[in-house]
Amino acid sequence: MLQFYFLSILCNALAGYALITDSEAKSSILDGIRSYVLDETFRLVLGVLTMVVGFFKILSVIRGDIPVIGDILPAAAGLVAGFSLLFEFYKSRSTVIDEQTEKIETFLTSNRKWVGYAAIISAGTHFLFPTVLFF
């Protein structure tokens, strides 16, 4: 369905930008968007939407594309970027210290920008090449 195609591109691009944006960065053209993506509630909603769209993107394909496999990279990028945003929200609110969450946290914090760039690249390639295998 074209709706999930559009939502996948939009959510992956926004989630990727949210993951690579720093609050200390210098001003730029995207200051208005940066103020939104730094808001905790917006990041929570964006993380949930990105994960849901990523899941449904696995189930729905564009006409002429291979089911499940055809859109696997944009769907996986959405799932990982959404999980990263949700995990950041969880860690900011949680008081529980667990060995498993520390391992996940060290992995996600060290690779946060890479996940963001992968989501943005996935959104861009998915927009430019809608029926190419894996994009």
Side-chain angles (χ1 to χ4, degrees), residues 2-19:
L2 290 176
Q3 293 88 348
F4 283 115
Y5 175 75
F6 173 72
L7 284 174
S8 173
I9 293 170
L10 182 68
C11 287
N12 280 348
L14 282 175
Y17 183 70
L19 289 171

Side-chain angles (χ1 to χ4, degrees), residues 71-94:
D71 294 330
I72 195 77
L73 290 181
L79 289 170
V80 172
F83 177 76
S84 182
L85 288 172
L86 289 176
F87 189 77
E88 283 180 9
F89 182 81
Y90 168 75
K91 284 305 288 180
S92 69
R93 299 290 175 121
S94 176

Side-chain angles (χ1 to χ4, degrees), residues 41-99:
T41 306
F42 182 81
R43 290 171 79 90
L44 172 67
V45 171
L46 181 62
V48 169
L49 284 176
T50 305
M51 282 195 69
V52 168
V53 169
F55 175 73
F56 282 116
K57 191 64 183 153
I58 292 174
L59 301 177
S60 67
V61 294
I62 295 177
R63 185 176 304 168
D65 208 359
I66 299 171
V68 178
I69 297 173
D71 294 330
I72 195 77
L73 290 181
L79 289 170
V80 172
F83 177 76
S84 182
L85 288 172
L86 289 176
F87 189 77
E88 283 180 9
F89 182 81
Y90 168 75
K91 284 305 288 180
S92 69
R93 299 290 175 121
S94 176
T95 58
V96 177
I97 298 172
D98 187 20
E99 183 178 316

Side-chain angles (χ1 to χ4, degrees), residues 5 9 73-74 118 120-130 132 134-135:
Y5 175 75
I9 293 170
L73 290 181
I120 290 174
I121 290 170
S122 173
T125 55
H126 196 49
F127 176 74
L128 294 175
F129 309 110
V132 175
F134 296 116
F135 291 108

Side-chain angles (χ1 to χ4, degrees), residues 21 37 39 44 79 86 101 106 110 113:
T21 301
V37 298
D39 182 44
L44 172 67
L79 289 170
L86 289 176
T101 56
T106 56
S110 64
K113 291 205 183 238

